[in-house]
Amino acid sequence: MQPARGELDLAYRLDDRFARESGRVYLTGWDAIVRLPLMQRQRDRAAGLRTAGFVSGYPGSPLGGVDSLFRQHRAMLAGHDVHFEPATNEDLAATSIWGTQYLNVGPVTSRYEGVFGLWYGKGPGVDRSTDAIRTANFQGVAATGGVLALAGDDHDARSTVTAQQSETLFVHIGMPVLNPATIQDYLDYGLAGWALSRFSRCWVGMICLNDTADSAASVDVDPLRPHLVLPDVEEPPSLTMWRPPAELELDIRERRFPAAQAFVRANGLDVVTVGAHRSPRSPRPRLGIVTTGKAYLDVRDAMADLGLDDERAAALGISVYKVAMPWPLEPEGVLEFARGLDEVLVVEAKHPIIEDQLARLLRRIPRDRRPELVGKTDDTGAPLVPVTGALDAPIVRDVLLARLEKVTGDPALVQALRPRESL
């Protein structure tokens, strides 16, 4: 029996972070990554699937400790049919994982029904491996396999020679991208990522920003979390030994991306976390904030600095939409969120991946009812959310203050919200 939330668990041991199958465990970002294939194997076993896991990558900050942790627990992983094979470089790791997806394709069969792959590397490792990863992704994955690629990113170049953002590379490669905000998201998005990969037949990228990878938290683990369903749409074609390159490109654009978006929609991965839409105290929503990953935490911290808890924010007409998959953006949910707003503010680090997609999607709303879209620039074209460096709560706080004054037309309200130390 697990202790109730808030009670001290005197029986808890360090090994429980991997051994405990349900309840609360304390994990670092590295722990969460090592735990992921164990949880996927557990879920497959419960579903009656005989699968195995294959993990390979190359160490580097912020995922440098993952390699050591996988080595340390190699025997434990093997006991759960998860094989860890450290690679000479990121390219060979990607190529090895690519090969696992061809299990049972052809005359040779295996005792396993599929292999789920986990690739990891720091941001520059994604750079150098784009050819191997792109080719593997275009060829596809097995319906009982799937591949999750973890990119250790460093937005302000604390441990790399260049500031790194891997989302743009994954877009170029043709891979759906998940962007977790917390250690809990590492687990939930990671497991959703393998299911998404299997359904869409794509490799799925997941951003592991240094701020999150180097953090720790107490999280919920459960064999049924997250509960995932398959959308009622046609699945892309199964993996074969060879298909014409032009056919594969068409398949990605016209079948795999729509399948990925349908999966996100069916499983509610994008969520409204602050809802002026649902507040009886708000006559109508005014400002909608669309954000993802660590930037979501910056938004929540900035709101807390301004004294805006969920209830007060909703009363002022503020809503927040947390995006799990910034590429390709699921259109129905974000358009539902945007309708009726005066303004949509996109808060995302560096390149405007969500903003650029949303600008096209908002054209579906009649011009006279279409909200203003701001993000990297405001409605006058002036810089707003920075395109360089890393975001933090003070930066986002100033952005929110500027937009609240514009949307509400009430400078006195904004002045009252402004923290005393910034006056």
Side-chain angles (χ1 to χ4, degrees):
M1 180 176 177
Q2 301 295 332
R5 186 181 294 271
E7 291 184 2
L8 185 62
D9 186 357
L10 297 177
Y12 189 82
R13 297 292 182 269
L14 181 61
D15 287 346
D16 286 345
R17 71 197 197 277
F18 301 131
R20 184 171 285 189
E21 294 190 354
S22 63
R24 299 282 291 178
V25 295
Y26 185 76
L27 301 178
T28 66
W30 301 343
D31 291 337
I33 292 169
V34 172
R35 186 181 169 98
L36 265 176
L38 300 174
M39 296 176 72
Q40 182 60 43
R41 175 70 181 87
Q42 180 186 16
R43 288 171 69 92
D44 282 347
R45 186 173 55 205
L49 284 175
R50 299 189 312 277
T51 61
F54 183 81
V55 180
S56 189
Y58 190 79
S61 175
L63 300 181
V66 167
D67 190 85
S68 299
L69 202 57
F70 271 121
R71 290 175 188 269
Q72 180 182 345
H73 293 281
R74 210 168 188 169
M76 176 196 68
L77 291 160
H80 293 270
D81 294 325
V82 176
H83 179 75
F84 170 62
E85 189 63 42
T88 304
N89 57 47
E90 297 90 345
D91 312 43
L92 290 175
T95 304
S96 298
I97 290 174
W98 175 17
T100 66
Q101 298 306 294
Y102 287 94
L103 190 76
N104 300 324
V105 177
V108 179
T109 59
S110 166
R111 68 181 185 275
Y112 296 111
E113 296 176 72
V115 175
F116 52 91
L118 180 67
W119 180 95
Y120 63 89
K122 67 186 301 181
V126 182
D127 283 340
R128 65 163 288 160
S129 304
T130 51
D131 180 45
I133 295 176
R134 179 175 55 243
T135 305
N137 177 58
F138 265 62
Q139 294 298 320
V141 304
T144 51
V147 178
L148 191 64
L150 307 183
D153 274 358
D154 182 9
H155 284 175
D156 50 2
R158 279 178 263 170
S159 62
T160 51
V161 295
T162 58
Q164 192 71 29
Q165 183 187 28
S166 293
E167 290 101 315
T168 53
L169 293 167
F170 287 142
V171 171
H172 170 65
I173 291 169
M175 289 168 55
V177 185
L178 299 172
N179 195 348
T182 64
I183 301 297
Q184 185 72 65
D185 286 350
Y186 269 27
L187 298 180
D188 295 345
Y189 288 11
L191 295 171
W194 270 310
L196 169 61
S197 176
R198 290 173 175 180
F199 185 75
S200 69
R201 307 293 197 266
C202 285
W203 281 47
V204 172
M206 191 165 89
I207 304 302
C208 296
L209 196 62
N210 46 11
D211 302 78
T212 312
D214 293 339
S215 67
S218 179
V219 300
D220 289 313
V221 295
D222 188 281
L224 299 180
R225 178 180 178 146
H227 176 69
L228 300 170
V229 298
L230 297 182
D232 187 19
V233 298
E234 182 181 358
E235 291 189 44
S238 299
L239 177 71
T240 59
M241 290 302 294
W242 186 85
R243 290 170 64 191
E247 181 181 316
L248 291 173
E249 182 183 30
L250 187 70
D251 185 41
I252 285 177
R253 291 291 175 177
E254 295 192 356
R255 299 185 184 90
R256 295 196 219 172
F257 280 177
Q261 292 167 322
F263 182 92
V264 169
R265 176 71 172 171
N267 288 287
L269 297 185
D270 297 341
V271 293
V272 178
T273 61
V274 178
H277 299 68
R278 300 190 296 265
S279 173
R281 294 177 56 193
S282 177
R284 69 180 182 84
R286 297 175 175 178
L287 175 64
I289 303 168
V290 178
T291 185
T292 188
K294 189 255 182 182
Y296 169 74
L297 300 182
D298 295 329
V299 168
R300 298 311 302 261
D301 286 346
M303 290 173 63
D305 287 348
L306 298 174
L308 295 175
D309 60 16
D310 290 4
E311 183 178 358
R312 189 178 184 197
L316 290 175
I318 301 170
S319 295
V320 179
Y321 191 70
K322 182 188 178 191
V323 173
M325 187 176 72
W327 173 268
L329 185 63
E330 193 285 303
E332 293 184 34
V334 76
L335 285 175
E336 282 178 15
F337 176 77
R339 287 188 178 93
L341 293 169
D342 292 335
E343 179 172 293
V344 175
L345 166 64
V346 180
V347 179
E348 58 185 328
K350 297 191 178 293
H351 190 80
I353 292 173
I354 294 176
E355 185 182 350
D356 284 354
Q357 295 174 87
L358 190 51
R360 293 191 295 274
L361 291 172
L362 288 177
R363 296 173 189 162
R364 302 181 187 179
I365 299 176
R367 188 183 297 274
D368 60 341
R369 287 178 284 169
R370 188 182 305 163
E372 185 84 51
L373 176 64
V374 299
K376 297 306 173 185
T377 59
D378 65 15
D379 50 318
T380 70
L384 188 60
V385 180
V387 296
T388 60
L391 292 181
D392 58 27
I395 291 173
V396 176
R397 184 184 66 196
D398 291 342
V399 170
L400 293 183
L401 285 169
R403 300 324 298 165
L404 282 171
E405 183 167 355
K406 172 66 167 58
V407 171
T408 65
D410 188 349
L413 168 66
V414 174
Q415 189 69 10
L417 290 174
R418 193 179 299 275
R420 186 176 303 274
E421 63 270 17
S422 67
L423 295 177

